[in-house]
């Protein structure tokens, strides 16, 4: 099923359609968890200044995602050829901080640029220093996902890595 969203995104005729496909994928993946429900998609803040792709409620007693916030904010990036830049990560982490969120999830059909020790990794580490954790579900993860439990394990292992190593191993 995940492949269908990826193929639809690759065949999309516009960047808006590409983005929508990634949002639909994020919604599909997280809605599979019991107790996780989509409450907003493409919602503008009160000032009309920033848009949030996906907002879920997370009933931590039922979802298996007890280690995440009760409100999950998910940013989706579906770039045809490029990776998610450090600027994309920094912008998302700033929006999370402005909303008082401690953890956000970035879903990308490619990857975060550079990885640990490079620009994308630096932006993830900078967010951590500022009190915001950005967990990443990239194309590798999407290709390997088979169950909601596998996704929960991935996200928890990333969180443990941040807390113990101070970085995300991309």
């Amino acid at each position: 099923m995940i492949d269908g969203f990826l193929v639809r995104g690759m065949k999309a005729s516009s960047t808006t359609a590409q983005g929508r496909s990634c949002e639909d994928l994020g919604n599909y993946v997280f809605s599979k968890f019991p107790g996780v429900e989509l409450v907003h998609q493409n919602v503008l803040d009160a000032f009309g200044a920033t848009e949030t792709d996906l907002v879920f409620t997370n009933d931590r007693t039922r979802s298996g995602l007890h280690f995440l916030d009760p409100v999950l904010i998910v940013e989706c990036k579906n770039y045809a050829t490029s990776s998610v830049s450090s600027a994309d990560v920094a912008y998302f982490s700033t929006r999370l901080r402005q909303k008082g969120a401690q953890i956000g999830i970035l879903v990308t059909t490619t990857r975060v640029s550079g990885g640990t020790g490079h620009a994308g990794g630096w932006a993830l580490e900078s967010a951590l220093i500022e009190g915001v954790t950005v967990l990443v579900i990239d194309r590798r993860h999407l290709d390997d996902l088979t169950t909601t439990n596998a996704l929960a394990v991935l996200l928890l292992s990333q969180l443990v890595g941040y807390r113990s190593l101070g970085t995300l191993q991309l």
Side-chain angles (χ1 to χ4, degrees):
M1 186 70 179
I2 288 175
D3 287 340
F5 292 104
L6 296 172
V7 169
R8 191 176 62 167
M10 287 187 290
K11 291 183 177 181
S13 59
S14 69
T15 55
T16 301
Q18 283 178 332
R20 177 59 60 135
S21 177
C22 191
E23 290 167 10
D24 290 346
L25 170 61
N27 183 21
Y28 171 78
V29 169
F30 283 98
S31 293
K32 291 293 183 187
F33 287 93
V36 174
E37 302 208 9
L38 181 68
V39 291
H40 294 293
Q41 184 168 359
N42 297 322
V43 65
L44 291 174
D45 67 10
F47 308 103
T50 62
E51 181 182 84
T52 301
D53 290 341
L54 302 171
V55 180
F56 297 90
T57 56
N58 174 28
D59 179 345
R60 297 188 289 188
T61 62
R62 296 179 40 221
S63 69
L65 299 173
H66 55 87
F67 52 90
L68 296 179
D69 294 341
V71 176
L72 302 177
I73 298 175
V74 179
E75 177 73 8
C76 301
K77 295 293 183 191
N78 189 356
Y79 295 144
T81 56
S82 63
S83 55
V84 176
S85 71
S86 60
D88 291 328
V89 173
Y91 183 66
F92 180 47
S93 68
T94 296
R95 289 184 10 243
L96 290 168
R97 192 173 54 257
Q98 289 170 339
K99 295 175 187 311
Q102 295 178 327
I103 298 174
I105 300 168
L106 175 64
V107 176
T108 175
T109 57
T110 56
R111 62 185 183 88
V112 173
S113 67
T116 305
H118 299 282
W122 174 84
L124 292 166
E125 292 166 11
S126 293
L128 188 62
I129 291 167
E130 296 174 353
V132 174
T133 302
V134 177
L135 303 176
V136 176
I137 303 169
D138 65 17
R139 179 59 186 260
R140 285 174 308 158
H141 304 128
L142 292 169
D143 287 341
D144 292 342
L145 273 184
T146 55
T147 65
T148 54
N149 187 57
L151 179 55
V153 168
L154 167 70
L155 295 172
L156 180 57
S157 78
Q158 286 185 14
L159 190 58
V160 169
Y162 269 126
R163 299 297 186 258
S164 60
L165 303 173
T167 189
L168 178 62
Q169 301 297 310
L170 293 172

